[in-house]
Amino acid sequence: MAVVGRVLSALTHRDPVRRTLTATGIAVVLWLGAWTVSYLAIGEGALRALVSARIPGGALDPGPSLAITIFSWNLVFGVGAIVVGSLFAFGPLSLGYFAPWWWALGYGVALGTNSFVLTVPGKLAPRIDILWQHIGAREILAYILVAAALSNIHLWRPRNWHAMALSRVRAIRDVRLGAAEAGCLVGAIALLLWSANVEAAGVMAFLQR
């Protein structure tokens, strides 16, 4: 319980850098755990149809607008989900954290089963050096930066752990972001822009083989 208390304290700390580092550590543990289990227990490509079904037809067609499409998708559905989640908290913990943690789990499973839309033959065994080589890690880091920046803006939270009724914590006009939080948001957007351009270039190179 003492460890849980320290982790919770770090996730709600006034310093967004400390919040980011703690949330990132949790994401890495979830990612490696999901990757290991799926690599050992699930067949190759088992979730490829599910992953492909979530991408609109033509969304990954090569072209000059592909990077814009990827960035817009990540901004609307990725950052958007975190913003909505950040409006709510369970106790002191922002629900905005749970979206990138969930995506870290999914990313690990996709790596362990080779279930991406564009793939190469063979499952990839878990290894830490892939962390910054694959585009998914950069996107998840961007999402964690957003979640950490917004972790203390929640407007509602349950009155107690077993009740669905929400109590109002603050009004939207009372939300304030400091310079450090703003810096995290700017860094997240820059990282998503960079990732979208790298991913688009990779998709186009793959399709032109």
Side-chain angles (χ1 to χ4, degrees):
M1 290 300 294
V3 173
V4 173
R6 286 197 293 268
V7 171
L8 185 59
S9 177
L11 289 171
T12 56
H13 197 271
R14 62 184 300 176
D15 181 6
V17 174
R18 185 168 178 178
R19 301 197 298 260
T20 298
L21 291 174
T22 305
T24 300
I26 293 172
V28 170
V29 170
L30 293 173
W31 167 64
L32 285 174
W35 188 356
T36 301
V37 171
S38 61
Y39 178 79
L40 296 174
I42 305 177
E44 181 177 356
L47 304 177
R48 193 171 299 153
L50 177 62
V51 173
S52 300
R54 297 175 66 86
I55 300 178
L60 295 181
D61 290 343
S65 64
L66 179 56
I68 297 175
T69 299
I70 295 171
F71 174 72
S72 300
W73 181 272
N74 291 339
L75 191 65
V76 173
F77 294 99
V79 175
I82 295 168
V83 171
V84 173
S86 297
L87 299 178
F88 304 88
F90 190 82
L93 184 63
S94 169
L95 297 188
Y97 284 122
F98 288 89
W101 289 340
W102 176 253
W103 295 327
L105 278 171
Y107 173 42
V109 172
L111 280 170
T113 59
N114 193 22
S115 291
F116 296 102
V117 177
L118 303 178
T119 63
V120 294
K123 295 198 294 184
L124 183 64
R127 59 182 219 257
I128 196 67
D129 64 308
I130 202 71
L131 183 62
W132 198 247
Q133 296 176 18
H134 205 283
I135 203 70
R138 307 174 198 179
E139 293 176 346
I140 291 172
L141 176 57
Y143 296 142
I144 289 174
L145 282 168
V146 175
L150 303 181
S151 66
N152 293 329
I153 73 163
H154 48 273
L155 307 181
W156 298 278
R157 63 185 172 202
R159 293 175 183 171
N160 49 62
W161 67 271
H162 57 79
M164 294 298 295
L166 299 174
S167 60
R168 189 69 175 254
V169 176
R170 62 177 61 85
I172 188 67
R173 64 177 178 273
D174 297 325
V175 172
R176 298 288 186 273
L177 294 179
E181 283 83 5
C184 286
L185 294 176
V186 171
I189 297 302
L191 193 53
L192 288 177
L193 278 169
W194 176 44
S195 298
N197 279 283
V198 173
E199 187 172 0
V203 169
M204 294 177 70
F206 184 91
L207 296 177
Q208 291 170 3
R209 288 179 182 177

